[in-house]
Amino acid sequence: MSAEATSPGARSRRRGRTSIDLRRLGRAALLGPASRDRLPDAIGHVADAHRAHHPDADLLVLGKAYVLAEMSHRGQFRKSGEPYITHPLAVTLILAELGAETTTLTASLLHDTVEDTDVTLDQVRAEFGDEVCYLVDGVTKLEKVDYGAAAEPETFRKMLVATGNDVRVMSIKLADRLHNMRTLGVMRPEKQARIAKVTHDVLIPLAERLGVQALKTELEDLVFAILQPEEYESTRAVIADRATTGPSLDTIAVDVRRTLREADISAEVVIRPRHFVSVHRARLKRGEMRGTDFGRLLVLVGEDADCYAVLGELHTCFTPVISEFKDFIAAPKYNLYQSLHTAVAGLDGAVVEVLIRTHQMHRVAEAGVVALGNPYTPVDGAEPADGERADPTRPGWLSRLLAWQESATDPDTFWTTLRADLAQDREISVFPADGGMLGLPAGATCVDAAYAQYGDGAHGCIGARVNGRLATLSTVLADGDTVQLLLAQGPVQAPGDSGGPGPSPEWLDHARTPAARIAIAGWLAANPESLKVPESEPRAPGAVTAGRRGVANVVVDVPEDATVRLAGCCTPVPPDDVTGFLVRGGAVTVHRAECSAVGRMAALGRSPVAVSWGDEAECRVTLYAESFGRPRLLADLTEAIATAGAAIVSANVEPPSEQRVRHTYTLQLPDAAGLAGLMRAMRDVPGVFDVRRAQHEPAS
């Protein structure tokens, strides 16, 4: 777990953190332990941070762990020239600032001793007990000498299995990776990129799922600086300049404080600046940034009921944007997160996002599972039933991951599947008709529900009822659906044999969970007869330009009789990076490269089709405009569109709902280069607070 020096993203560290002089700590570390009646000077920062969260904590065990770590790492140096002990000290300080309890901090100080020194697990167990030993073992890497190229995926597999028994293992790993990312600058660029890519694909999603937002956001910024240096520098420049259009967050924060004070609600109102990646995403979505787009208002109160009182005052005294309201207090997110989200607009139309939560909710939002302390402490001294730990931090996604990894015996399959599984960032709950609950990733189908409920028994699934109605196995489930899976009677065998039916290859197109995909693929591999399809003569490929001017102005390497259409989910226009996929019926659908549908197609194993833009300058695009209702709004918008030189092909204006109006325009532009100016002109119409291109698949 070695780490190196000076990171290009060091500027993005969270505000308010005490500046730590690692070289001074290194000199203190070399001086050895202090006298027996006080802690060594080198861990003074850790002790102060720990006591801030746990005033009654016994710090003697930390001093004892530090002495062992310092002695075992003595003579080892990081590539930056600092004594190696500065790394476990920094990792422990990160966890102490998040509020980790003493056992976690003890293991953090020792987390590299077994891996990099002569200290053994037996010694750790004898000195500090089974729990600390388990945590240290959980984050200890497997040797490349023994595992070769499979060392990294197998290390993560070992770590995840250990996390299933004690979530504190992953807390230490995340803090370890954060300090390594902060100090990555002396590594070769190619190694920086490799480490950043693994951090992006695996550790950042794990930090999100464990609710450790404080670590996740900083890791995102550090990865952003390495993998997208040009966009990072551009975002830095935008943040440094700060848009001055409209009122600032400071002005609105003053108004909110006055409103809550007049309502006699005790609350703390602070400005939460967006981190670099958040600003980058907002720029991609909104284009030109306004002053209120660079942060959010955070309102902290004492009790749950106060959160709703604040919400009522804000929606009474300001104009609410109803589409932005979300209640994560009544329905917490799967990563423990609780908060009320809303957005309000002042008299001048400036919109600001507001987060409302209690102080305890805020601690959990920032530190996630770390804020729970020791989740395995028995309640009132009672031991868990059957000697098992009652773990409140083992959510559905972790249980699913631990289940399917047992079937992925090949390291490459495990590594690829893990990354794909972690890329799914939302979770739903569905309810089997015979009772219980299934946690599934968003986008899961009846196929996924079948394998989640019955395991290999789902091979005999022949249909389903969703909310009482017959549904195909490809039906995508929604949060709260009731599902009844219909199973065939008798054994499941390959086609042509006696017995019930088995999975078809099409099931792989409908499966979203790794457990379902691995089980289906295993059955198909064991029953190759099911893969036989009628032979057909291959058709020679050829380049064709779609004939509908301005609608599909693309050249696609497909058969001449294929239909080409632009995807309605993202409405690509020149010079967008585009790619195409063959869909049912032999048609080719062209998507923007960043469209979410592209990732789904790739996950299903669909091969992309080469696509390029033709010579025509005209293009067609669909735009969504969000606004507040007012007289002459439609006339002003259409005038802005006409002035920008665009022709309206179709328009739809939804009936006003809670003072909010949504407009959908399909527009023909003489030149795609004018799209950005058109969107700015529409956004400048009074009352319009957002204009964006279509980027999500329309609801069925």
Side-chain angles (χ1 to χ4, degrees):
M1 302 198 181
S2 58
E4 292 45 53
T6 60
S7 162
R11 312 176 186 87
S12 64
R13 296 185 186 180
R14 301 190 307 278
R15 291 183 176 180
R17 172 179 289 126
T18 304
S19 177
I20 305 300
D21 184 347
L22 289 179
R23 293 191 182 277
R24 185 182 63 77
L25 289 181
R27 289 193 296 272
L30 289 175
L31 295 177
S35 60
R36 196 173 291 188
D37 59 345
R38 68 184 184 88
L39 287 172
D41 291 338
I43 59 171
H45 288 286
V46 173
D48 293 342
H50 189 37
R51 277 280 170 82
H53 293 277
H54 304 278
D56 299 326
D58 180 6
L59 301 182
L60 292 180
V61 67
L62 292 182
K64 184 179 177 183
Y66 168 76
V67 169
L68 177 58
E70 190 277 327
M71 291 179 61
S72 59
H73 287 298
R74 187 174 296 177
Q76 297 178 347
F77 294 87
R78 309 186 82 221
K79 289 189 176 181
S80 60
E82 296 159 349
Y84 193 85
I85 189 61
T86 59
H87 171 62
L89 276 172
V91 172
T92 306
L93 179 61
I94 290 170
L95 291 167
E97 289 177 332
L98 291 176
E101 39 69 58
T102 308
T103 300
T104 303
L105 301 187
T106 303
S108 177
L109 282 168
L110 301 169
H111 78 272
D112 275 346
T113 54
V114 174
E115 180 179 320
D116 295 334
T117 76
D118 293 331
V119 174
T120 66
L121 285 173
D122 288 339
Q123 287 178 282
V124 173
R125 180 181 294 107
E127 293 289 332
F128 301 97
D130 290 337
E131 278 193 312
V132 172
C133 179
Y134 185 86
L135 298 179
V136 172
D137 184 34
V139 294
T140 298
K141 289 180 183 176
L142 299 174
E143 293 291 342
K144 285 189 177 181
V145 174
D146 299 325
Y147 287 84
E152 184 173 39
E154 289 301 329
T155 293
F156 270 97
R157 188 202 296 264
K158 168 178 175 275
M159 201 174 302
L160 288 166
V161 171
T163 299
N165 291 324
D166 195 325
V167 75
R168 293 173 293 181
V169 170
M170 191 54 64
S171 301
I172 297 172
K173 176 59 181 176
L174 291 172
D176 172 75
R177 180 54 60 95
L178 176 57
H179 184 245
N180 285 344
M181 289 296 298
R182 286 177 181 172
T183 58
L184 205 59
V186 297
M187 303 286 287
R188 297 188 310 275
E190 59 271 21
K191 189 167 184 180
Q192 289 187 38
R194 184 186 66 79
I195 294 173
K197 187 69 168 62
V198 173
T199 303
H200 175 273
D201 292 349
V202 178
L203 287 166
I204 288 176
L206 285 171
E208 168 71 19
R209 280 158 175 72
L210 294 173
V212 195
Q213 293 296 321
L215 303 188
K216 178 216 170 192
T217 53
E218 190 172 350
L219 283 172
E220 281 186 326
D221 285 350
L222 293 166
V223 167
F224 184 39
I226 293 173
L227 298 184
Q228 298 176 270
E230 293 181 1
E231 290 86 348
Y232 174 80
E233 290 300 329
S234 173
T235 303
R236 277 190 63 240
V238 169
I239 293 175
D241 292 342
R242 291 277 177 134
T244 57
T245 56
S248 67
L249 280 168
D250 299 280
T251 303
I252 299 178
V254 170
D255 294 339
V256 171
R257 290 189 188 102
R258 183 177 59 251
T259 298
L260 298 181
R261 188 168 55 249
E262 292 172 353
D264 199 24
I265 298 175
S266 177
E268 180 183 355
V269 180
V270 296
I271 295 173
R272 294 266 292 180
R274 291 182 184 271
H275 64 292
F276 282 44
V277 171
S278 181
V279 171
H280 176 64
R281 290 170 181 159
R283 289 178 67 202
L284 294 178
K285 177 181 177 182
R286 304 173 186 177
E288 184 178 350
M289 298 284 285
R290 302 179 183 180
T292 54
D293 293 334
F294 287 90
R296 301 180 175 112
L297 293 186
L298 173 63
V299 181
L300 297 174
V301 294
E303 304 291 340
D304 291 11
D306 297 333
C307 295
Y308 294 97
V310 170
L311 180 71
E313 288 299 321
L314 294 182
H315 283 196
T316 300
C317 300
F318 299 88
T319 302
V321 182
I322 300 301
S323 61
E324 297 295 323
F325 173 67
K326 298 180 181 67
D327 187 346
F328 294 119
I329 294 179
K333 294 176 73 172
Y334 65 90
N335 61 0
L336 310 177
Y337 179 86
Q338 287 186 286
S339 190
L340 295 179
H341 288 205
T342 189
V344 296
L347 296 177
D348 47 16
V351 177
V352 63
E353 297 178 43
V354 184
L355 311 178
I356 309 167
R357 59 180 73 140
T358 66
H359 291 277
Q360 174 60 19
M361 291 175 190
H362 182 57
R363 283 191 289 272
V364 174
E366 288 292 288
V369 296
V370 180
L372 298 180
N374 184 349
Y376 312 109
T377 301
V379 178
D380 297 329
E383 290 292 336
D386 301 326
E388 296 182 357
R389 286 171 160 175
D391 187 351
T393 68
R394 183 164 172 175
W397 66 266
L398 182 55
S399 296
R400 291 197 306 272
L401 188 154
L402 295 172
W404 69 253
Q405 67 85 24
E406 294 179 355
S407 303
T409 54
D410 176 61
D412 290 336
T413 300
F414 166 76
W415 197 228
T416 303
T417 308
L418 175 65
R419 294 185 179 201
D421 190 17
L422 293 176
Q424 304 175 70
D425 59 357
R426 284 201 311 114
E427 184 163 306
I428 62 172
S429 298
V430 299
F431 302 92
D434 53 358
M437 185 189 76
L438 298 175
L440 298 170
T445 65
C446 292
V447 171
D448 299 301
Y451 282 94
Q453 184 172 4
Y454 296 112
D456 288 346
H459 293 331
C461 192
I462 57 176
R465 291 182 181 273
V466 178
N467 299 326
R469 297 185 177 183
L470 284 174
T472 62
L473 291 178
S474 62
T475 300
V476 176
L477 300 171
D479 195 30
D481 279 350
T482 299
V483 183
Q484 179 184 3
L485 287 313
L486 308 177
L487 303 181
Q489 301 298 318
V492 178
Q493 298 186 19
D497 296 334
S498 59
S504 69
E506 287 76 17
W507 284 24
L508 288 172
D509 292 340
H510 310 319
R512 297 292 180 272
T513 57
R517 295 183 62 82
I518 291 173
I520 295 167
W523 191 90
L524 294 175
N527 298 275
E529 299 85 356
S530 62
L531 297 174
K532 292 181 179 179
V533 295
E535 296 184 359
S536 59
E537 292 293 328
R539 293 185 294 180
V544 58
T545 302
R548 295 182 64 191
R549 186 180 180 208
V551 175
N553 176 30
V554 289
V555 178
V556 184
D557 188 14
V558 293
E560 295 184 359
D561 59 348
T563 301
V564 180
R565 63 172 182 262
L566 299 181
C569 57
C570 57
T571 58
V573 300
D576 291 342
D577 290 335
V578 290
T579 186
F581 291 93
L582 279 168
V583 296
R584 289 184 178 87
V588 174
T589 303
V590 179
H591 295 264
R592 289 159 62 188
E594 65 265 31
C595 179
S596 59
V598 173
R600 291 197 296 272
M601 291 287 191
L604 294 175
R606 302 280 178 86
S607 299
V609 177
V611 178
S612 61
W613 290 109
D615 297 329
E616 297 179 8
E618 289 190 347
C619 67
R620 183 172 293 188
V621 65
T622 298
L623 299 179
Y624 297 139
E626 303 279 352
S627 68
F628 300 110
R630 67 168 178 82
R632 289 191 52 81
L633 175 63
L634 183 59
D636 292 345
L637 263 173
T638 53
E639 181 180 357
I641 293 170
T643 302
I648 300 177
V649 177
S650 65
N652 179 57
V653 182
E654 299 178 6
S657 174
E658 301 292 340
Q659 300 180 327
R660 167 186 168 275
V661 182
R662 185 181 189 185
H663 312 246
T664 304
Y665 296 98
T666 300
L667 307 173
Q668 190 81 13
L669 279 71
D671 192 336
L675 177 59
L678 168 64
M679 294 176 69
R680 281 196 299 270
M682 294 174 66
R683 200 178 284 118
D684 288 339
V685 172
V688 176
F689 60 86
D690 192 23
V691 177
R692 64 185 185 277
R693 288 173 63 180
Q695 56 184 350
H696 302 290
E697 292 187 2
S700 59

